[in-house]
Amino acid sequence: MSPLGRRSLLGGCLVAAIVLVAPASATSVTPAGPASADLASPLVTVGPSPEPEPSREALAQAPQATNYAAAMVGAAHAAVPKGVTFGVSVLDLRTGQLAVTGTEQFYSASLSKLMLVVDMIDRGVEITPAVHDLITRALGPSDDEAMNVLWVKFDGADAMTRVADSLGMAATATADDRSQWGEVKVSPAGYARLYQHIMTEMDPADRDVIVTALSGAPPAAADGFNQSYGLLDAAPKAFAKQGWMYYGNQLYLHSAGVVANGSDRYVVVLMTSQASSSGVARANVSAIAAAVMGAMPATSPS
């Protein structure tokens, strides 16, 4: 166990011309609150910034866009096993529609690795071959030692605040103990915004550094944990950042990334906290991911 992981076992993916309206940052920093599968959480859908009110004639003649993000989140909510504390968001990168349900805030586990890399790239850190290797190891096999080096060398604790503030990531905050990158607070809505930035705002060359590393995630992580769950199990055309962390009797198990359907792409963020064995917990997240994929349109809408 590294010095930066003393309390946890760690491992472990928005404006398409507009900035989505996101919920206000949480005032509480207690992750994984009481909302769980047996305490239904309301589905909140967030769309693009409002435009001038169209005329009745225009509304009558214009085709209504299907909110696939809401349908996918609704399917995920219905599929969550009893007793699993969950948070889900789906962002349609084509329409800008965002849907969110469940608990607002969780410990990040290794999801903070992607946040740090985004901060580094956005700040113009020189990506030398050695730094590139550390990024690849941190994002793909989710190597904790690589993350430890990046965290210390590139101001990881403050990086969490910088990237959250600059992108407007809802309910996101650095860890109370600045050495514990697994205890960064993240949210489904905030992490969807992170991926929106990567996919629609980053320079293509910078985006490729991230996407290539995530796409190379092996089934077994650097610490031996099986990371073939969630999106990496249910969505064959997905790339994702996986995260897992034991904290007390809870396993924080997340899967967050981008899934493709023809020319359409959706950001899908699945966050959970479970008092289950790792095998059962992985199966639970995979079941939620399968429900999301089942609700995705079979073909790209025209």
Side-chain angles (χ1 to χ4, degrees):
M1 188 70 66
S2 69
L4 298 184
R6 69 179 192 284
R7 286 191 291 244
S8 55
L9 174 61
L10 295 168
C13 68
L14 324 196
V15 259
I18 52 162
V19 178
L20 298 184
V21 179
S25 298
T27 55
S28 168
V29 294
T30 303
S36 61
D38 50 357
L39 179 61
S41 304
L43 172 65
V44 178
T45 59
V46 182
S49 301
E51 303 241 342
E53 187 105 11
S55 67
R56 291 185 179 181
E57 293 78 10
L59 285 173
Q61 296 175 7
Q64 298 300 306
T66 301
N67 192 333
Y68 291 108
M72 293 162 73
V73 164
H77 190 128
V80 178
K82 184 177 180 180
V84 174
T85 300
F86 71 97
V88 176
S89 69
V90 174
L91 169 72
D92 186 332
L93 287 169
R94 181 177 65 89
T95 66
Q97 292 169 321
L98 171 69
V100 183
T101 190
T103 298
E104 183 179 25
Q105 194 177 66
F106 292 81
Y107 285 133
S108 67
S110 282
L111 296 190
S112 57
K113 294 173 180 174
L114 181 56
M115 294 172 62
L116 177 55
V117 172
V118 170
D119 176 75
M120 290 167 56
I121 291 174
D122 284 353
R123 287 194 295 124
V125 167
E126 183 183 3
I127 308 300
T128 65
V131 171
H132 189 276
D133 178 65
L134 289 168
I135 289 173
T136 299
R137 287 165 50 198
L139 296 185
S142 205
D143 189 324
D144 292 348
E145 292 306 316
M147 177 59 167
N148 290 346
V149 175
L150 292 172
W151 185 261
V152 172
K153 186 172 182 179
F154 297 107
D155 190 26
D158 287 336
M160 302 299 99
T161 301
R162 280 192 300 269
V163 73
D165 288 350
S166 66
L167 300 184
M169 294 173 62
T172 305
T174 199
D176 295 333
D177 182 338
R178 292 168 62 86
S179 72
Q180 297 298 305
W181 45 263
E183 295 172 25
V184 171
K185 289 93 173 177
V186 292
S187 72
Y191 216 76
R193 171 67 185 123
L194 181 75
Y195 265 114
Q196 185 193 38
H197 173 65
I198 293 168
M199 300 305 296
T200 69
E201 298 170 353
M202 273 190 160
D203 181 271
D206 293 333
R207 179 169 58 247
D208 286 348
V209 171
I210 292 172
V211 173
T212 300
L214 292 176
S215 299
D223 66 357
F225 194 87
N226 179 2
Q227 60 175 347
S228 293
Y229 65 86
L231 296 178
L232 296 189
D233 178 35
K237 293 184 179 180
F239 57 85
K241 186 71 203 79
Q242 310 288 71
W244 53 94
M245 176 177 79
Y246 290 96
Y247 192 96
N249 69 341
Q250 293 292 305
L251 172 57
Y252 286 83
L253 192 68
H254 313 316
S255 183
V258 177
V259 299
N261 176 37
S263 61
D264 291 336
R265 293 171 299 178
Y266 300 86
V267 175
V268 178
V269 181
L270 312 175
M271 296 182 178
T272 70
S273 174
Q274 309 182 47
S276 306
S277 68
S278 60
V280 171
R282 281 192 294 264
N284 289 339
V285 178
S286 290
I288 300 169
V292 171
M293 297 305 297
M296 189 169 69
T299 57
S300 299
S302 59

